[in-house]
Amino acid sequence: MRKVVTFLGTSARETQYSFGGAIYTGRVFAEALRQCVDFDAMLVFSTAQAAETTWPILAALDDPRIHKVDIPIGRDADELWMLFEELTRAVAPGDTVIFDITHGLRSIPFLIFLAAAYLKEACDVTIAAIYYGAYELGQPAPVIDLSEFVALLDWLTATNQFIYTGDGRYLAQLLRDAGAFEHPRRALTEEERAQQVAARRIGSAAGAITETSQALLTNLIPHAAQASADLLARLAEAREDLARQAPPYRLLADRVRATYQPFAVDEPMREDLRHDLEVQLLMIAWYMEKGHLPQAFTLMREWVVTAVGYRLGITGDEILDFKGKRREVESALGKHCALWQQAH
């Protein structure tokens, strides 16, 4: 069901609103909104005072889709929780919701943004728009859609998930969605070709996030180091595209770079084995900090083998040969441990 959730103020003032290239008039914004959007139900949240002063304007429309929902004024946290509960009761899983915060009290817009994020994630609700009729910007008043700012919470959650757990699937999907380009069935214009190239760069960055995430979470250590280096390169290439098409991520990109920069090695286990060992120590610390104990212990074991090989002068190529030098080092260490256990 497509629902409008709107709030009534306590005073009416006939206003012209500019929306979608047309002008609509209403004494309250909900009256104008009724004319310019499609909906199945309009839930009008009204305090007792608004019910007396402005609700009659909407009631006089005699529209069976419009329903009044009584709410407290929101004097304290308890009343705001009551309002939040009314919001969640009014919306069902699978609904598409348009919020209107034009006449809400000062605390209402803040609450609506949190409610929108909650409903989207917890109740499978689609947030179609969050409208604000900006009367103070002149006549006709522009109608501003603020819904993209709810997505900032999605970007923050996805970025935190990638940084704090290494799971980059959510962030990669947000990037793919932001850079999506649907090819029309005709020759592309110059602008569309530029959009297509930007989509490819953003898609490459998303792919690099997925590659780095999978390599780290499956203990593919040399691959994780190379994937991290590739990730930084792909993010740099797509920097301007992301700033234009995914503004929320632009604010968080530096955190991703700072987290994965220490793991980046262009040619792992090939050029500077000592540096590789230092990087792997950082990875071990990262695994421990994130609670990935099996990966941490596995890498600790492999690190010891590689470190002993390095002290013995074995090269990176040789120490990666699991049927050659690496097996010899592992066998020698195993025998040494067995002798130590017998002696103790």
Side-chain angles (χ1 to χ4, degrees), residues 5-216:
V5 174
T6 183
F7 294 82
L8 281 181
T10 56
S11 61
R13 176 170 48 192
E14 186 164 303
T15 304
Q16 289 186 327
Y17 295 96
S18 174
F19 182 90
I23 304 298
Y24 301 90
T25 302
R27 288 162 290 175
V28 293
F29 182 61
E31 186 180 18
L33 191 60
R34 172 179 171 270
Q35 305 168 50
C36 56
V37 299
D38 295 324
F39 61 91
D40 300 305
M42 178 180 285
L43 307 175
V44 183
F45 282 63
S46 172
T47 63
Q49 186 177 356
E52 294 180 0
T53 57
T54 52
W55 166 247
I57 296 172
L58 299 178
L61 298 173
D62 197 26
D63 187 333
R65 300 174 300 169
I66 299 178
H67 310 278
K68 180 166 67 71
V69 180
D70 295 321
I71 58 170
I73 199 169
R75 291 184 178 87
D76 52 34
D78 289 337
E79 289 194 353
L80 289 174
W81 274 115
M82 291 171 61
L83 172 55
F84 185 85
E85 290 170 2
E86 287 291 346
L87 279 170
T88 56
R89 277 197 293 265
V91 178
D95 282 347
T96 296
V97 181
I98 297 170
F99 284 106
D100 160 37
I101 60 172
T102 302
H103 300 301
L105 291 173
R106 291 178 181 178
S107 58
I108 296 299
F110 172 75
L111 188 64
I112 289 300
F113 275 92
L114 294 179
Y118 170 79
L119 291 170
K120 181 179 176 182
E121 294 301 322
C123 304
D124 191 28
V125 168
T126 299
I127 307 302
I130 300 177
Y131 288 133
Y132 174 68
Y135 175 85
E136 65 275 14
L137 296 182
Q139 292 288 300
V143 177
I144 303 171
D145 183 2
L146 302 171
S147 57
E148 67 179 77
F149 291 96
V150 175
L152 182 59
L153 296 176
D154 294 334
W155 287 97
L156 180 60
T157 299
T159 301
N160 281 342
Q161 187 178 59
F162 186 40
I163 289 173
Y164 294 122
T165 72
D167 187 345
R169 290 173 296 175
Y170 188 14
L171 181 57
Q173 188 57 55
L174 287 178
L175 286 174
R176 290 191 184 97
D177 291 343
F181 175 77
E182 186 173 343
H183 197 298
R185 295 183 177 179
R186 55 170 172 75
L188 297 179
T189 65
E190 185 175 344
E191 181 180 353
E192 287 170 338
R193 282 195 294 271
Q195 291 173 355
Q196 185 180 46
V197 172
R200 288 172 180 164
R201 283 194 290 255
I202 293 175
S204 293
I209 287 174
T210 300
E211 196 77 14
T212 302
S213 175
Q214 291 176 345
L216 281 168

